[in-house]
């Protein structure tokens, strides 16, 4: 993530360094699923538990829409070099 006062990024997954033929190297993870599979398992299990209990928690489609609107404003700001406000319509009652 790039912000006004710095950059944050996830660390690379741990891999074994190989020293061979006068080179020192590490493998690069090329499949994003291996990095996030445990998190997806936890998220899916939480969803299943919510369905069973009848009590839904977590982000809604409205939250996803808000994230997309914010991302669009970020891209517009990056392209224009200007500050671009994140403008949202009123949240529908369904999501309250």
């Amino acid at each position: 993530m790039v912000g006004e006062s710095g950059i944050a990024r996830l660390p690379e997954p741990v891999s074994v360094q190989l020293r061979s033929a006068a080179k020192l190297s590490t493998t690069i993870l090329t499949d994003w699923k291996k990095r996030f599979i445990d998190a997806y398992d936890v998220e899916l299990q939480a969803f299943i538990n919510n369905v069973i209990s009848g009590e839904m928690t977590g982000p809604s489609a409205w939250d996803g829409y808000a994230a997309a609107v914010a991302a669009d404003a970020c891209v517009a700001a990056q392209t224009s070099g200007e500050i671009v406000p994140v403008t949202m319509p009123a949240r529908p009652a369904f999501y309250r």
Side-chain angles (χ1 to χ4, degrees), residues 58-72 88 91 95:
S60 67
W62 181 258
D63 297 318
Y65 172 69
V69 170
D72 286 346
M88 293 284 296
R91 181 186 300 224
Y95 293 106

Side-chain angles (χ1 to χ4, degrees), residues 11-85:
E12 291 293 325
V14 176
S15 64
V16 175
Q17 283 189 338
L18 175 63
R19 186 183 299 258
S20 176
K23 296 178 185 172
L24 181 63
S25 63
T26 57
T27 58
I28 297 173
L29 187 61
T30 58
D31 185 354
W32 63 268
K33 291 176 275 188
K34 291 180 181 176
R35 178 184 282 246
F36 297 106
I37 194 67
D38 291 339
Y40 283 117
D41 287 347
V42 169
E43 182 179 10
L44 181 58
Q45 187 61 58
F47 174 76
I48 292 168
N49 294 346
N50 287 336
V51 170
I52 291 169
S53 72
E55 186 176 324
M56 299 305 288
T57 61
S60 67
W62 181 258
D63 297 318
Y65 172 69
V69 170
D72 286 346
C74 289
V75 170
Q78 186 179 33
T79 302
S80 70
E82 303 292 326
I83 295 173
V84 176

